[in-house]
Amino acid sequence: MQSTTIKRAVAQDADRLTSLIQNSGAYRGPYASIISDYRVTADYIAGHQVFVAIDTAERLQGFYALLLEPPELDLAFVADDVQGRGVGRLLIEHMIRQARAAGLTEVRVVSHPPAEEFYRRLGAERVGTVAPSPPKVDWERPELRFTTA
């Protein structure tokens, strides 16, 4: 795998972050409704802690968005072709460091059901379940927490 760098997203990243979400294999089939019209905007990037993982050719490998108030991992995506190569782990470890630096003691994650085990392997604890919210989300989602200490 090429070297991965994590850096703050900028407004010009909005379209490629949206494209990464829209092309995510994890959200095909029954999960497609949750991302069908989702767009990452320049305003969203400006207003939140959004970080991208890029390779040496500046190719987007993944990204995350950390909300500070209330503390929550709002978005986390890794490009399909680099999944399983440590990019997600790098992003989550970076997010935890950013949360700690911002004075947060924990970060909530409402997980995509297939991603729950990934977060748990990285230290998140399941604390509950979030009920469906039709019409976009017709399934329960695991609620997890990362402790930043």
Side-chain angles (χ1 to χ4, degrees):
M1 180 173 100
Q2 291 185 346
S3 178
T4 299
T5 301
I6 298 177
K7 66 180 187 176
R8 189 76 186 251
V10 296
Q12 293 79 8
D13 290 322
D15 287 343
R16 68 183 188 157
L17 299 184
T18 296
S19 180
L20 181 64
I21 291 171
Q22 295 298 323
N23 291 311
S24 173
Y27 286 89
R28 299 230 164 77
Y31 297 117
S33 61
I34 199 168
I35 63 161
S36 62
D37 334 335
Y38 196 87
R39 300 287 176 268
V40 177
T41 64
D43 287 344
Y44 181 89
I45 292 170
H48 298 91
Q49 302 281 313
V50 182
F51 288 85
V52 296
I54 56 168
D55 65 16
T56 54
E58 295 285 314
R59 185 180 156 278
L60 179 64
Q61 296 180 316
F63 77 99
Y64 75 85
L66 173 64
L67 307 182
L68 299 178
E69 187 54 44
E72 184 169 350
L73 178 64
D74 189 39
L75 300 169
F77 283 84
V78 173
D80 289 353
D81 64 333
V82 296
Q83 287 184 10
R85 298 184 187 171
V87 173
R89 174 180 290 279
L90 288 173
L91 285 166
I92 297 303
E93 289 171 348
H94 187 273
M95 181 276 299
I96 291 168
R97 288 192 304 274
Q98 289 297 312
R100 187 180 304 124
L104 305 177
T105 57
E106 62 183 27
V107 175
R108 177 182 189 232
V109 179
V110 177
S111 177
H112 180 47
E116 178 180 7
E117 274 309 306
F118 165 75
Y119 291 121
R120 292 181 67 167
R121 278 195 313 272
L122 295 178
E125 288 183 59
R126 185 166 184 164
V127 295
T129 302
V130 175
S133 54
K136 281 224 173 254
V137 184
D138 290 330
W139 57 90
E140 291 184 339
R141 292 171 288 159
E143 180 179 5
L144 305 124
R145 293 230 190 296
F146 280 106
T147 302
T148 63

